[in-house]
Amino acid sequence: MPAEKFDDIYRDLKSKVEDETYPAGTMLPSEAQLTKIYRCSRNTVRRALAMLAERGYTQSIHGKGVQVIYEPVTRATFTVGNIESFAESARRNGIPVKTAILKFTTITIDEKAAARTGFPVGSECFYIQRLRRLDGTPVILDINVFLKSEMPALSEEIAEGSIYKYLEEDLKMQITTSNRQITAEKATPADSRYLELHDLDFVAVVTGRTYNSKGIQFEWTQSRHRPDYFVFYDTARRKPV
Amino acid sequence: MPAEKFDDIYRDLKSKVEDETYPAGTMLPSEAQLTKIYRCSRNTVRRALAMLAERGYTQSIHGKGVQVIYEPVTRATFTVGNIESFAESARRNGIPVKTAILKFTTITIDEKAAARTGFPVGSECFYIQRLRRLDGTPVILDINVFLKSEMPALSEEIAEGSIYKYLEEDLKMQITTSNRQITAEKATPADSRYLELHDLDFVAVVTGRTYNSKGIQFEWTQSRHRPDYFVFYDTARRKPV
DNA sequence: GCCGATTTGTCCGTATGTATC
DNA sequence: CGATACATACGGACAAATCGG
């Protein structure tokens, strides 16, 4: 990866917003100034600014400038936002993580499963259930269905760590898009037992399909979260419907 | 609105994906072909394609083409995805909607409220609680705090309909960015009573701040949803961290 | 209220790199 | 290897919004 210019600029500006070099409420330097700072064309600056705005860090105001609207997050919780695996997110937060495998089998997709997961009928898949613990506390019950043809050698040992890391680093698979749904659901007996819900009887559920750079949907996943450890962040912009 | 080119192209492609003129799994015409179809530059086509990908309709595959990955949604639920007011969303789904005002007062922001809502200490605000019914069923308990200086004439009559419609059409305010958090929480007594939760005892909560085109945060809002009527859709892309 | 400077928004044409087939 | 397709980057032109004088 050669490190693209727009991405460097984006990351630099993002860090300067996060560490409050550019505090919330203030204006970033103008596009013209930024082209001088980063020695690049205005289009490249604009691309970095578009990414900041997309992710809720800034807001461009026509004729005025680019305003910082980012507010640092205070809650000490496990956040879901980008496509980020559990292991990655935990490491980023500096929290020790442990994964227990509850089930590891192969299945063949029937019609009902096809409608649910998006895999074609007859596909051979791995079916994996895992319990993720954060600093000892069980927080997510993970159900993954992976398309076997994309990763024939997946094993329990790999599943104990980060499957995403295996796919990207060892198989050189490039993970790109993910469509997800978030719902709140009544806890199942399995939820209660594994997540140690006690008096709580509901979970936050993230269900999604993931695609790789070949355009193949290789994963269907459902993560059932302990509600007291779940926050999902989102930024929306109104104009382009 | 002059109808920008990239937006026209985006909407046209989006509708052709939704009505399966370009079915899921197939490739869109190449960028070069699209420049001929829409008689515009490649940059403009690429901007429309970037919007499609951002919203989960397509995925670009380097050296191959742009693949359609959109799957039409079948579930008949109330969806949250863009900045869309309750009234707008309901109308879009063709469902009759009724709003009851539970509380309508003005408050002055103290330190505690400032930390929570993001408004400066001392701001004069409207505090509104509303119960939204979909086809007779209570589905959302809405709490809004609006900055009074941005909408001095807001009234109960307006709040019974769509406040967003009032802000945009009458006050010509342009609503742009919104940062939101989604959590699942134990139901409060008020939740249970108003949302008629019966045996359910939890709600899906969407909390957020909304900004207008002047860069002013004019709203803090919390929507407490009946879980059986709540789905949140999201698309994430991995590459740009 | 108007004018001019500044700033963001839209669009174009072109060049070069890189992945796929 | 060549043709095709997407990715990055540059520079320029004009429009539209904001703000100060």
Side-chain angles (χ1 to χ4, degrees):
Chain A
M1 297 296 99
E4 284 89 5
K5 253 182 176 176
F6 72 86
D7 199 47
D8 288 345
I9 299 172
Y10 162 70
R11 280 203 297 267
D12 191 60
L13 289 173
K14 180 184 141 187
S15 70
K16 284 183 167 52
V17 169
E18 283 172 341
D19 71 15
E20 306 193 43
T21 305
Y22 300 128
T26 65
M27 293 291 178
L28 292 187
S30 75
E31 295 177 359
Q33 285 174 287
L34 290 173
T35 62
K36 282 168 195 160
I37 293 172
Y38 294 107
R39 257 173 291 242
C40 66
S41 74
R42 189 172 158 226
N43 277 337
T44 306
V45 163
R46 282 181 61 74
R47 181 146 178 202
L49 291 175
M51 290 171 68
L52 286 172
E54 220 171 90
R55 289 157 178 73
Y57 287 93
T58 60
Q59 173 173 236
S60 296
I61 304 171
H62 196 162
K64 268 181 90 173
V66 177
Q67 183 185 27
V68 179
I69 61 172
Y70 171 84
E71 300 284 347
V73 179
T74 52
R75 293 177 59 173
T77 41
F78 177 68
T79 75
V80 186
N82 269 49
I83 306 182
E84 193 176 35
S85 73
F86 178 77
E88 287 166 343
S89 191
R91 189 166 359 97
R92 188 169 52 77
N93 293 353
I95 300 169
V97 50
K98 252 175 52 183
T99 302
I101 297 186
L102 306 178
K103 203 172 283 186
F104 189 106
T105 59
T106 58
I107 59 171
T108 306
I109 300 296
D110 60 18
E111 264 186 43
K112 201 176 140 204
R116 189 170 170 73
T117 64
F119 291 121
V121 174
S123 316
E124 290 291 309
C125 290
F126 292 107
Y127 178 94
I128 306 171
Q129 274 190 28
R130 295 183 290 178
L131 181 65
R132 332 295 306 254
R133 279 198 185 81
L134 220 53
D135 208 8
T137 313
V139 290
I140 310 180
L141 184 61
D142 246 342
I143 301 164
N144 298 95
V145 179
F146 285 105
L147 197 58
K148 204 170 172 181
S149 60
E150 292 295 307
M151 53 194 89
L154 187 64
S155 67
E156 289 206 30
E157 289 68 44
I158 296 166
E160 270 175 28
S162 174
I163 295 181
Y164 270 36
K165 190 180 167 195
Y166 166 72
L167 296 177
E168 291 191 314
E169 293 184 9
D170 297 347
L171 296 192
K172 309 293 181 201
M173 184 190 288
Q174 293 203 320
I175 297 160
T176 49
T177 314
S178 159
N179 293 321
R180 295 178 294 187
Q181 296 180 14
I182 298 161
T183 54
E185 296 181 13
K186 201 160 181 55
T188 64
D191 293 333
S192 295
R193 185 166 75 252
Y194 289 120
L195 296 176
E196 298 170 14
L197 294 178
H198 306 304
D199 55 323
L200 295 173
D201 66 342
F202 59 99
V203 288
V205 180
V206 181
T207 308
R209 301 174 182 189
T210 318
Y211 299 80
N212 64 21
S213 62
K214 308 253 177 228
I216 295 171
Q217 183 201 327
F218 68 93
E219 181 190 21
W220 177 88
T221 181
Q222 183 169 90
S223 297
R224 305 177 72 82
H225 294 249
R226 253 179 79 141
D228 47 351
Y229 279 81
F230 176 82
V231 187
F232 182 89
Y233 291 96
D234 175 63
T235 306
R237 284 191 302 168
R238 189 167 176 86
K239 207 145 147 238
V241 182
Chain B
M1 299 294 101
E4 285 88 6
K5 252 183 177 175
F6 72 85
D7 199 47
D8 287 345
I9 299 172
Y10 162 69
R11 280 204 298 266
D12 192 58
L13 289 174
K14 182 184 139 188
S15 70
K16 285 183 168 51
V17 168
E18 283 172 342
D19 70 14
E20 306 194 44
T21 304
Y22 300 129
T26 64
M27 293 291 179
L28 292 186
S30 74
E31 293 178 357
Q33 285 174 289
L34 291 172
T35 61
K36 282 168 195 161
I37 293 172
Y38 295 107
R39 259 173 290 242
C40 66
S41 76
R42 195 173 150 224
N43 277 337
T44 307
V45 163
R46 281 182 61 74
R47 183 150 176 198
L49 291 175
M51 291 171 67
L52 286 172
E54 221 171 89
R55 288 159 178 72
Y57 287 94
T58 60
Q59 171 171 237
S60 296
I61 304 172
H62 197 157
K64 267 181 89 173
V66 178
Q67 184 186 27
V68 179
I69 61 172
Y70 171 83
E71 301 284 348
V73 179
T74 50
R75 293 179 57 175
T77 39
F78 177 68
T79 76
V80 186
N82 266 50
I83 307 182
E84 193 177 36
S85 74
F86 178 76
E88 287 166 343
S89 191
R91 189 166 359 96
R92 189 168 51 77
N93 293 352
I95 299 169
V97 50
K98 252 175 54 185
T99 302
I101 298 188
L102 307 177
K103 203 172 283 185
F104 189 107
T105 58
T106 58
I107 58 171
T108 306
I109 300 295
D110 60 17
E111 264 186 44
K112 201 178 138 203
R116 189 171 170 73
T117 63
F119 291 121
V121 174
S123 316
E124 291 290 311
C125 290
F126 292 107
Y127 177 94
I128 307 172
Q129 273 189 28
R130 295 183 290 178
L131 181 64
R132 332 297 305 255
R133 280 199 185 80
L134 219 54
D135 208 10
T137 313
V139 290
I140 310 179
L141 185 60
D142 246 342
I143 301 164
N144 298 94
V145 179
F146 285 104
L147 197 59
K148 204 168 170 181
S149 61
E150 291 295 306
M151 54 195 86
L154 187 64
S155 66
E156 289 207 32
E157 289 68 44
I158 294 165
E160 271 176 28
S162 173
I163 295 180
Y164 270 36
K165 188 181 169 192
Y166 166 71
L167 296 178
E168 289 191 315
E169 292 184 9
D170 297 347
L171 296 191
K172 309 290 181 203
M173 182 190 290
Q174 292 203 321
I175 297 160
T176 50
T177 313
S178 161
N179 292 324
R180 295 178 295 186
Q181 297 180 13
I182 299 161
T183 55
E185 296 180 14
K186 200 160 180 58
T188 64
D191 293 333
S192 295
R193 185 166 75 251
Y194 289 121
L195 296 177
E196 298 170 13
L197 293 178
H198 306 305
D199 54 325
L200 296 173
D201 66 344
F202 59 98
V203 288
V205 180
V206 180
T207 308
R209 300 173 183 189
T210 317
Y211 298 80
N212 64 21
S213 61
K214 308 256 177 226
I216 296 169
Q217 183 201 328
F218 68 92
E219 180 189 23
W220 177 87
T221 180
Q222 182 169 88
S223 298
R224 305 178 70 83
H225 294 250
R226 251 179 81 141
D228 47 349
Y229 279 82
F230 176 81
V231 186
F232 182 89
Y233 291 96
D234 175 62
T235 306
R237 284 191 305 167
R238 188 169 177 83
K239 203 126 142 263
V241 181

